[in-house]
Amino acid sequence: MLLKSCCIYSIGIFSILILIAGISLVLSNVFPNFLHSMVKKEMVLKNDTEAFRVWENPPPPVYMQFYFFNLTNPLEVMDGDRPAVVEIGPYTYREYRPMEQVNFLDNGTKVAAVNTKTYIFQPNMSRGPESDLIRTVNIPAMTVMERFKDQPFMANLISAYMRSSDEGLFTTRTAGELLWGYEDALLKALKVLQPDLDDVFGLFYKANATNDGNYVFFTGQQNYKDFARVDTWNGERSVNWWTTDECNMINGTNGASFHPVINKNETLYMFSSDLCRSLYALYEEDVSVKGIPGYRFVPPSKVFANLTVNPDNAGFCVPAGNCLGSGLLNVSGCKQGAPIIMSSPHFYQADEKYVQDIFGMKPNKEQHQTTIDINPLTGIVLQAAKRLQVNVYVEQIPTFSQTGNVRTVVFPVLYLNESVVIDDESVKKLQVVVAEANIVVNIPFMLIGLGILLGGVFMLLMCRQKVPESTAAERQPLLRS
Ligand SMILES: *[C@@H]1O[C@H](CO)[C@@H](O)[C@H](O)[C@H]1NC(C)=O
Ligand SMILES: *[C@@H]1O[C@H](CO)[C@@H](O)[C@H](O)[C@H]1NC(C)=O
Ligand SMILES: *[C@@H]1O[C@H](CO)[C@@H](O)[C@H](O)[C@H]1NC(C)=O
Ligand SMILES: *[C@@H]1O[C@H](CO)[C@@H](O)[C@H](O)[C@H]1NC(C)=O
Ligand SMILES: *[C@@H]1O[C@H](CO)[C@@H](O)[C@H](O)[C@H]1NC(C)=O
Ligand SMILES: *[C@@H]1O[C@H](CO)[C@@H](O)[C@H](O)[C@H]1NC(C)=O
Ligand SMILES: *[C@@H]1O[C@H](CO)[C@@H](O)[C@H](O)[C@H]1NC(C)=O
Ligand SMILES: *[C@@H]1O[C@H](CO)[C@@H](O)[C@H](O)[C@H]1NC(C)=O
């Protein structure tokens, strides 16, 4: 009898202890903090660590896909009609982007490297060979005409040369030539006057098997938030350029966040050399990539908005005060003066005017937005797609008859989708981490549950226990008082 009630009371005490332990673990955040510090410890670039191997040679395949716009009505456009285009693509390249010439600096707090990108054509993932013909704007000619439009003597000379060699506002070239370069007759002729001029033109000319300069990254040894952040680029200190394959920069407060690395109110910065600037992305929704939970970040429409909506974009009104509408960036300044305007594919999120100006534009969020999906627990990029369109500013230039009666348009040449999806091997590793994290984080709640369960058992046993008469009689006065 004594043994039995002793046992029952132990259950009661035990349930209370477990409850207290569970609740204090929840309140003190021990397990999430423990996870946090585990992740932090992993996020450092050191020789022979997993994070370093992944950074040096990212395992998931990166694909660069190009979609061209083939012009169908050049003669009508010369007479002032709306251009009509047909989207042609994809032309897919596997992008290899290892870090090379890796060199640790400053006691392992920084690491220097170059990022060499190589593009290998993937016929099986492409609609046709690189030799497919595309009719589009003659970009070298448009550039030269813009450049000399206010110099009548030169304009006359160039115009005469163009007439004699039958060069016009539009040209038909292969996809491969437009991307990787071709010798342009007009540039070659001008080279006689200007020997330092490069007579090869291509939108990605010299981009293959080359690096874009010397980077110095933080290793994250001092602060995990600096993991893989760019310190300097070609010797210049860079603010806001964090990149692990152009993807992620983590900024914001981590405070009392449940998730160790990323939370929903953080801002991701991406550096894009195509745009000559850094962009940022904000949380949009929860997603799942190959079964792994993620947060989707997208650039807010404000990034490309016109001045009324986002005064920060004043820097892209060049010359000062000369602003294009929403959704367009004039990057002429960083493309050797070529009249190149960047936008989202099909002018997604741009001023409706630009969509209307070209027959064949069908902007659509799903296909044309830039997205980055990140696993919040680890900060690992699950999936990303950078989507950008290259356009040329076309206008009538009185000194060049080659421009005919063309109307002023932002003419789409191609758009690209540079995308990556986490590889299956990394998914398996992440699944284990996510499952472990779920268990670890839930241990305090399991303890509380167990405490409540045992408490219930205790009460049940107490009620069912027969109370001896004598004891009951003794207790009565106590109860009354
Ligand atoms: C990493 O360590 C190996 C051998 O321990 C060495 O050969 C290699 O140069 C080191 N790499 C760097 C980038 O320091
Ligand atoms: C590297 O560490 C040594 C010894 O800890 C220290 O004397 C030196 O100043 C450090 N160098 C740098 C660049 O931090
Ligand atoms: C890029 O360079 C590599 C190696 O130099 C070559 O194999 C590949 O065909 C090139 N890609 C393009 C698109 O020219
Ligand atoms: C693009 O248009 C030109 C001119 O109409 C045509 O010759 C060419 O075959 C088209 N390209 C493709 C890939 O369909
Ligand atoms: C991080 O964001 C804060 C404001 O939220 C900003 O002041 C700070 O400059 C940002 N840090 C970097 C490196 O961009
Ligand atoms: C800027 O964009 C907003 C919203 O799209 C529009 O209402 C406004 O008229 C635009 N302003 C200019 C100057 O284009
Ligand atoms: C784009 O910027 C250049 C200067 O970088 C300027 O000359 C040109 O007029 C601008 N184009 C448009 C369409 O505003
Ligand atoms: C890239 O984007 C294009 C356009 O939205 C889409 O058709 C294509 O499937 C995407 N490619 C990948 C690999 O996701």
Side-chain angles (χ1 to χ4, degrees), residues 173-204:
R173 292 280 168 181
T174 71
E177 284 176 330
L178 288 170
L179 292 173
W180 310 110
Y182 58 92
E183 196 182 81
D184 183 78
L186 176 58
L187 293 178
K188 199 172 179 184
L190 278 173
K191 200 179 161 127
V192 175
L193 306 173
Q194 223 178 320
D196 57 337
L197 198 77
D198 198 332
D199 56 5
V200 177
F201 170 81
L203 289 166
F204 291 82

Side-chain angles (χ1 to χ4, degrees), residues 10-83:
S10 322
I11 291 181
I13 291 169
F14 191 56
S15 77
I16 289 176
L17 287 180
I18 289 186
L19 261 176
I20 292 174
I23 290 172
S24 47
L25 283 175
V26 169
L27 293 181
S28 66
N29 245 350
V30 167
F31 285 116
N33 287 344
F34 169 73
L35 265 183
H36 197 161
S37 63
M38 291 299 289
V39 172
K40 274 202 261 189
K41 233 173 40 202
E42 290 296 309
M43 288 180 74
V44 56
L45 297 173
K46 262 198 314 215
N47 204 348
D48 288 331
T49 64
E50 176 74 11
F52 177 70
R53 271 191 292 274
V54 169
W55 171 81
E56 195 180 26
N57 229 327
V62 180
Y63 291 104
M64 179 69 110
Q65 298 181 296
F66 297 101
Y67 298 78
F68 289 89
F69 294 106
N70 207 7
L71 178 66
T72 58
N73 60 345
L75 295 177
E76 290 83 349
V77 174
M78 293 307 292
D79 282 339
D81 270 7
R82 220 160 49 122

Side-chain angles (χ1 to χ4, degrees), residues 48-342:
D48 288 331
T49 64
E50 176 74 11
F52 177 70
R53 271 191 292 274
V54 169
W55 171 81
E56 195 180 26
N57 229 327
V62 180
Y63 291 104
M64 179 69 110
Q65 298 181 296
F66 297 101
Y67 298 78
F68 289 89
F69 294 106
N70 207 7
L71 178 66
T72 58
N73 60 345
L75 295 177
E76 290 83 349
V77 174
M78 293 307 292
D79 282 339
D81 270 7
R82 220 160 49 122
V85 297
V86 177
E87 183 183 300
I88 307 262
Y91 296 89
T92 305
Y93 295 82
R94 170 92 187 259
E95 190 179 320
Y96 294 87
R97 43 194 311 163
M99 292 293 176
E100 291 177 342
Q101 299 165 34
V102 176
N103 203 354
F104 287 98
L105 309 170
D106 293 359
N107 286 346
T109 59
K110 292 179 185 171
V111 57
V114 298
N115 192 202
T116 305
K117 294 184 184 175
T118 303
Y119 299 89
I120 306 290
F121 186 61
Q122 308 287 306
N124 301 338
M125 293 174 69
S126 303
R127 65 124 6 230
E130 286 173 294
S131 56
D132 279 353
L133 288 172
I134 308 292
R135 179 157 54 199
T136 186
V137 181
N138 187 344
I139 302 174
M142 198 65 222
T143 307
V144 168
M145 291 190 291
E146 281 288 342
R147 164 96 182 275
F148 292 102
K149 66 179 175 185
D150 297 326
Q151 302 176 25
F153 176 74
M154 281 301 287
N156 268 329
L157 204 67
I158 293 166
S159 186
Y161 172 81
M162 285 176 71
R163 222 170 294 122
S164 72
S165 60
D166 210 21
E167 278 209 56
L169 185 55
F170 300 108
T171 185
T172 304
R173 292 280 168 181
T174 71
E177 284 176 330
L178 288 170
L179 292 173
W180 310 110
Y182 58 92
E183 196 182 81
D184 183 78
L186 176 58
L187 293 178
K188 199 172 179 184
L190 278 173
K191 200 179 161 127
V192 175
L193 306 173
Q194 223 178 320
D196 57 337
L197 198 77
D198 198 332
D199 56 5
V200 177
F201 170 81
L203 289 166
F204 291 82
Y205 174 50
K206 286 187 177 163
N208 186 31
T210 57
N211 67 68
D212 56 355
N214 300 310
Y215 287 91
V216 174
F217 300 90
F218 289 104
T219 56
Q221 184 180 295
Q222 284 169 317
N223 180 352
Y224 80 100
K225 286 204 162 204
D226 281 342
F227 175 82
R229 180 162 76 85
V230 176
D231 177 33
T232 61
W233 178 65
N234 283 338
E236 281 175 56
R237 190 147 311 269
S238 59
V239 194
N240 279 358
W241 297 5
W242 303 41
T243 123
T244 37
D245 78 81
E246 82 225 296
C247 282
N248 55 75
M249 155 163 169
I250 304 153
N251 190 14
T253 48
N254 254 350
S257 135
F258 173 80
H259 293 295
V261 175
I262 293 266
N263 54 80
K264 297 185 180 178
N265 50 29
E266 275 174 306
T267 307
L268 300 191
Y269 286 85
M270 325 165 251
F271 176 70
S272 169
S273 56
D274 306 312
L275 293 181
C276 327
R277 73 179 289 192
S278 59
L279 293 178
Y280 64 95
L282 300 176
Y283 169 82
E284 185 183 63
E285 59 183 343
D286 283 18
V287 291
S288 167
V289 179
K290 296 190 179 177
I292 306 282
Y295 290 167
R296 168 159 294 181
F297 286 79
V298 303
S301 58
K302 190 172 174 251
V303 169
F304 285 120
N306 68 19
L307 273 198
T308 335
V309 179
N310 185 3
D312 290 348
N313 279 343
F316 292 91
C317 300
V318 275
N322 177 19
C323 297
L324 294 161
S326 284
L328 304 186
L329 288 181
N330 180 354
V331 295
S332 169
C334 65
K335 306 283 178 202
Q336 287 87 44
I340 305 279
I341 310 271
M342 304 298 269

Side-chain angles (χ1 to χ4, degrees), residues 467-475:
V467 187
E469 297 285 303
S470 57
T471 340
E474 269 167 31
R475 272 188 188 161

